[in-house]
Amino acid sequence: MAIRWLKYRGFFALLLCTLSANAQQEPAKIELWSLKECLAYAQQHNITLNNLRLAKQSADQNVISARASVLPDLNAAVSQNATHYGTTQGDAGKSINLNGSVGLNSSVTLFNGGTLRANIRQSQLGTEMADLDVSEARNDLYLQIIQAYTNIMLDKETIVYAQDLVQTSQAQTEQMDQQYKAGAVAKKDLIQLQAQLASDQYTLTSAKNAERQDKITLKQLLQLPVDSTFDIVKADTTFALAAIPSLHEVIQDAISKRPEIKNSLLNIENSKLDLKKAKAGYLPVISLNGGIGTNYNNGTSIGTFRQFDNNFYQQIGITATIPLFSRKVNQTNIAKSNIAIKQAELDLLNTKTILSQTVEKAYINTQNAYSQYDASAEQLNYNKEAYRIAGEELRVGSANTVEYIQQKNLYIQALQAYTQAKYSAMLSLNVFNFYKGDFLENQQ
């Protein structure tokens, strides 16, 4: 009975180990991401964007502080002092005097040449500019993700046609091998097809390696963990040439919408506020202050609480600080503020120029990509038909292997050029529409 139990226990242990091994070997579920999901994830989780959002939150606190600066302050003061007096009569003549005071003081600025209002507006500009910094970084990240995502789409289509080429080469090699064994063809013809099969397999391997590398690039942009399973959804690889928006229209849209332009405009306004604050240095500062308090001293015969009542005071006053001579501080501050305004205006002009040039470059790239796509599509059609005819001729024996392989290589080159041109045109159009502001709105 014990021996039988040992046998069953061993069987169950082996069964559990097998089930555990199978569970461990079960492949992890691959997550399929659309481009819209990639962009949404990056929007929420990118470290650079989140750091800039924290900077924006810090700018929000500056607004709160600036608005509170127009309010009166309030301070409480409490003091307690003990004074030791020594005499010539020895220890018995020594005495300790106690005195103390309590009070409340407050002050508020009535006029300072508009500096407080300027500070409030500058703090508001700071939070707007911080928000635009987030938008700028997000746009840069989006463009990188769009390019990486398009590269993966290109890799996947390259893998598909490379697999088709390998399958065709394998079938032809097997057919040629049978003919060689039957003595119908020379070994040279078989070796040439085997070499072509090896070349097609190399093309397939290269395409798979490119896909892995481009996936890594996209994962790094999304900042996904290294061990995360990741792939893109099966994309629609069809592409039709759409009308290219006019260059002038896209430039105007970009200038009116892009965050870098708005940031430059706010920087000009901020510099003008600095000039206003610098001019306020010539004006007086008027403030209202007041306070209440009382004190006591135990060196008198009057009781402490009676002293608090007798010594209770209330004070209010207005202080005006009038600048008479600032050792040219105000003069230099105004001059530097005027220079800063001119620099900010030049920065706006430079930003508009760079943006216009970037949009124009995207426009030209789209036009060139469209032309290449048209030419490559026509070239592919001719080479595809020539390749089909060469395959039929090889099958019936009216063409030799060298001619067939040459035609096949021309077809492969035409197919690669067409695929590259298609995704280049797709990417160029997406980038151009991105500057127009239409790309993200059209994502599903």
Side-chain angles (χ1 to χ4, degrees), residues 134-170:
V134 176
S135 298
E136 284 189 55
R138 183 185 61 221
N139 285 344
D140 292 339
L141 179 63
Y142 278 4
L143 283 177
Q144 296 180 64
I145 291 175
I146 292 169
Q147 183 171 0
Y149 197 94
T150 305
N151 287 340
I152 297 176
M153 293 173 62
L154 168 61
D155 297 332
K156 287 186 174 298
E157 185 160 345
T158 303
I159 289 173
V160 170
Y161 81 68
Q163 288 173 337
D164 292 339
L165 292 175
V166 169
Q167 292 174 358
T168 302
S169 294
Q170 285 176 338

Side-chain angles (χ1 to χ4, degrees), residues 9-20:
R9 187 174 64 177
F11 170 75
F12 285 122
L14 179 60
L15 179 61
L16 289 175
C17 290
T18 302
L19 292 175
S20 176

Side-chain angles (χ1 to χ4, degrees), residues 111-113 278-286 320-327 329-330:
F111 176 78
N112 67 345
K279 290 180 177 180
Y282 286 114
L283 302 176
V285 177
I286 301 176
T321 303
I322 304 172
L324 299 178
F325 179 66
S326 63
R327 293 172 293 185
V329 172
N330 294 329

Side-chain angles (χ1 to χ4, degrees), residues 165-186:
L165 292 175
V166 169
Q167 292 174 358
T168 302
S169 294
Q170 285 176 338
Q172 291 172 339
T173 302
E174 291 172 359
Q175 181 183 8
M176 185 66 70
D177 183 55
Q178 293 175 358
Q179 292 175 348
Y180 168 71
K181 291 177 179 179
V185 296

Side-chain angles (χ1 to χ4, degrees), residues 201-214:
Q201 289 173 335
Y202 176 81
T203 301
L204 176 59
T205 302
S206 298
K208 290 181 177 180
N209 289 338
E211 183 193 24
R212 294 190 192 99
Q213 186 60 48
D214 288 332

Side-chain angles (χ1 to χ4, degrees), residues 29-168:
K29 184 179 180 181
I30 298 178
E31 298 181 28
L32 300 179
W33 293 52
S34 66
L35 177 57
K36 183 178 181 181
E37 289 171 334
C38 290
L39 297 176
Y41 184 89
Q43 158 79 4
Q44 296 295 325
H45 297 88
N46 183 264
I47 294 176
T48 301
L49 292 182
N50 285 329
N51 276 331
L52 290 173
R53 290 190 182 98
L54 291 176
K56 198 264 182 183
Q57 292 179 17
S58 179
D60 291 339
Q61 296 302 312
N62 292 337
V63 175
I64 297 175
S65 177
R67 286 174 174 169
S69 64
V70 301
L71 302 176
D73 62 4
L74 181 63
N75 300 295
V78 178
S79 68
Q80 175 66 53
N81 302 305
T83 305
H84 177 264
Y85 295 95
T87 67
T88 59
Q89 299 176 1
D91 294 339
K94 294 181 179 179
S95 62
I96 296 177
N97 177 260
L98 299 177
N99 63 82
S101 65
V102 295
L104 289 174
N105 297 284
S106 177
S107 65
V108 61
T109 301
L110 300 179
F111 176 78
N112 67 345
T115 299
L116 291 178
R117 289 194 299 272
N119 286 335
I120 293 174
R121 180 53 187 158
Q122 282 189 316
S123 64
Q124 292 171 339
L125 291 177
T127 188
E128 292 178 33
M129 294 169 73
D131 197 33
L132 291 172
D133 288 339
V134 176
S135 298
E136 284 189 55
R138 183 185 61 221
N139 285 344
D140 292 339
L141 179 63
Y142 278 4
L143 283 177
Q144 296 180 64
I145 291 175
I146 292 169
Q147 183 171 0
Y149 197 94
T150 305
N151 287 340
I152 297 176
M153 293 173 62
L154 168 61
D155 297 332
K156 287 186 174 298
E157 185 160 345
T158 303
I159 289 173
V160 170
Y161 81 68
Q163 288 173 337
D164 292 339
L165 292 175
V166 169
Q167 292 174 358
T168 302

Side-chain angles (χ1 to χ4, degrees), residues 360-378:
E360 184 178 10
K361 183 179 179 180
Y363 177 75
I364 294 173
N365 288 341
T366 305
Q367 286 185 319
N368 293 339
Y370 270 35
S371 299
Q372 291 177 347
Y373 176 73
D374 277 334
S376 64
E378 186 175 0

